[in-house]
Amino acid sequence: MEETQPAGKDERLVGSDRVLAVLLELARHPAGISLDEMAKRIDGAKPTVHRALASLRRAGLAGQDGHGHYVLGDEFLRIAFAHHEARPDHLRVQPILEQLTQRFGETSHYAVLDGHDVVYRAKVDPTVGAMKLSSTVGGRNPAHATGVGKMLLALQLPDLESVRNWVGGRKLERRTEHTAATAEELDAELSLVRQRGYSIDAQENEPGVNCVALPVYLSSPSVPTGAISISALAYRTPLATLVSDLPTIRKIIAGQYEEAIS
């Protein structure tokens, strides 16, 4: 004999689903949407949709503009932004790093600029492969010798004068024979980064290790909070392979990569 659910419980479930559908549809219309259009969009009766909107308005999750169109409420935006800002950077980028490492089989980092160094805030190593990188979360490397560092410096130091001021009286460490170790060499590298829109580390910080880095904008559309890199053992994943797959890397960072990864 088929089991039946109490009518009240079933109606509440349907009602909550409908309210959520209305909320999600509101989010797709920043300029607002009319009751008629909302009913069409979610294929619901106008009185029912109106009740859902009324519930959202009482909670501050929806509002109406001067034209009577419905929009997301200020309370919804406050909650969303407060939650977003309260999450530590490393937690927000962790899923991105995991997907990059799974996709390429190499180590992914998230790092921020701190003076003349970069500090690694998050790292994901591949699950296979005997050789892994020596970098650690909380560890530092010279910004001028790393892909993440050069990416962030390129956006902060637009010309040779600013690079010279950043270097100051220090002598830049030449970590390998490929490292830019003068203000002039570093300025030329940063100019290339700006032209390309990405940064590379061609065995400049550690022999046998290449990387590609891109900026990450977690709190502002114009000021990066840090940079993400894929650091690869050169014999296993050549730099040219990483550069050729930059479109995929960008999509993963933007959360737009949906291809199944085996």
Side-chain angles (χ1 to χ4, degrees), residues 225-247:
T225 49
I228 281 177
S229 70
I230 303 174
S231 301
L233 297 174
Y235 79 87
R236 193 162 63 187
T237 306
L239 181 58
T241 299
L242 295 176
V243 171
S244 67
D245 219 356
L246 269 165

Side-chain angles (χ1 to χ4, degrees), residues 197-215:
Y198 64 90
S199 176
I200 63 171
D201 167 1
Q203 303 189 52
E204 297 160 46
N205 186 60
E206 189 175 350
V209 178
N210 294 318
C211 93
V212 168
L214 289 166

Side-chain angles (χ1 to χ4, degrees), residues 88-104:
D89 288 358
H90 70 278
L91 292 181
R92 291 152 70 182
V93 301
Q94 189 72 17
I96 297 173
L97 300 186
E98 290 173 356
Q99 191 170 14
L100 287 170
T101 293
Q102 186 178 8
R103 171 67 178 79
F104 294 96

Side-chain angles (χ1 to χ4, degrees), residues 19-99:
V19 171
L20 290 174
V22 169
L23 181 62
L24 292 174
E25 190 62 37
L26 273 181
R28 299 187 180 97
H29 302 276
I33 183 173
S34 68
L35 174 59
D36 287 344
E37 183 63 21
M38 174 65 77
K40 292 177 184 177
R41 293 273 182 171
I42 70 166
D43 192 24
K46 282 175 57 176
T48 305
V49 173
H50 187 265
R51 286 195 296 272
L53 286 165
S55 295
L56 291 171
R57 291 185 68 189
R58 285 194 296 272
L61 303 181
Q64 277 185 292
D65 62 18
H67 303 286
H69 288 174
Y70 291 90
V71 295
L72 283 178
D74 290 341
E75 180 65 10
F76 179 90
L77 299 174
R78 185 194 68 77
I79 293 170
F81 283 122
H83 176 75
H84 180 72
E85 292 174 0
R87 294 184 67 196
D89 288 358
H90 70 278
L91 292 181
R92 291 152 70 182
V93 301
Q94 189 72 17
I96 297 173
L97 300 186
E98 290 173 356
Q99 191 170 14

Side-chain angles (χ1 to χ4, degrees), residues 46-234:
K46 282 175 57 176
T48 305
V49 173
H50 187 265
R51 286 195 296 272
L53 286 165
S55 295
L56 291 171
R57 291 185 68 189
R58 285 194 296 272
L61 303 181
Q64 277 185 292
D65 62 18
H67 303 286
H69 288 174
Y70 291 90
V71 295
L72 283 178
D74 290 341
E75 180 65 10
F76 179 90
L77 299 174
R78 185 194 68 77
I79 293 170
F81 283 122
H83 176 75
H84 180 72
E85 292 174 0
R87 294 184 67 196
D89 288 358
H90 70 278
L91 292 181
R92 291 152 70 182
V93 301
Q94 189 72 17
I96 297 173
L97 300 186
E98 290 173 356
Q99 191 170 14
L100 287 170
T101 293
Q102 186 178 8
R103 171 67 178 79
F104 294 96
E106 299 291 352
T107 299
S108 299
H109 295 99
Y110 171 69
V112 298
L113 192 62
D114 183 21
H116 295 101
D117 296 334
V118 291
V119 179
Y120 298 104
R121 292 280 180 83
K123 174 187 177 183
V124 175
D125 280 317
T127 55
V128 295
M131 294 184 63
K132 297 179 181 179
L133 305 187
S134 59
S135 55
T136 59
V137 175
R140 292 174 174 264
N141 264 322
H144 71 280
T146 62
V148 285
K150 289 192 296 178
M151 184 70 254
L152 297 172
L153 289 175
L155 299 175
Q156 289 192 15
L157 308 177
D159 50 39
L160 179 57
E161 181 181 1
S162 60
V163 173
R164 284 174 173 162
N165 289 336
W166 180 80
V167 173
R170 299 179 305 120
K171 182 177 180 180
L172 296 178
E173 180 184 0
R174 196 178 290 277
R175 301 292 293 264
T176 76
E177 60 179 331
H178 306 291
T179 311
T182 68
E184 291 72 20
E185 290 175 348
L186 180 57
D187 179 59
E189 286 283 328
L190 301 185
S191 179
L192 278 176
V193 172
R194 286 189 292 272
Q195 291 174 31
R196 294 167 173 164
Y198 64 90
S199 176
I200 63 171
D201 167 1
Q203 303 189 52
E204 297 160 46
N205 186 60
E206 189 175 350
V209 178
N210 294 318
C211 93
V212 168
L214 289 166
V216 181
Y217 300 87
L218 297 177
S219 304
S220 164
S222 58
V223 180
T225 49
I228 281 177
S229 70
I230 303 174
S231 301
L233 297 174

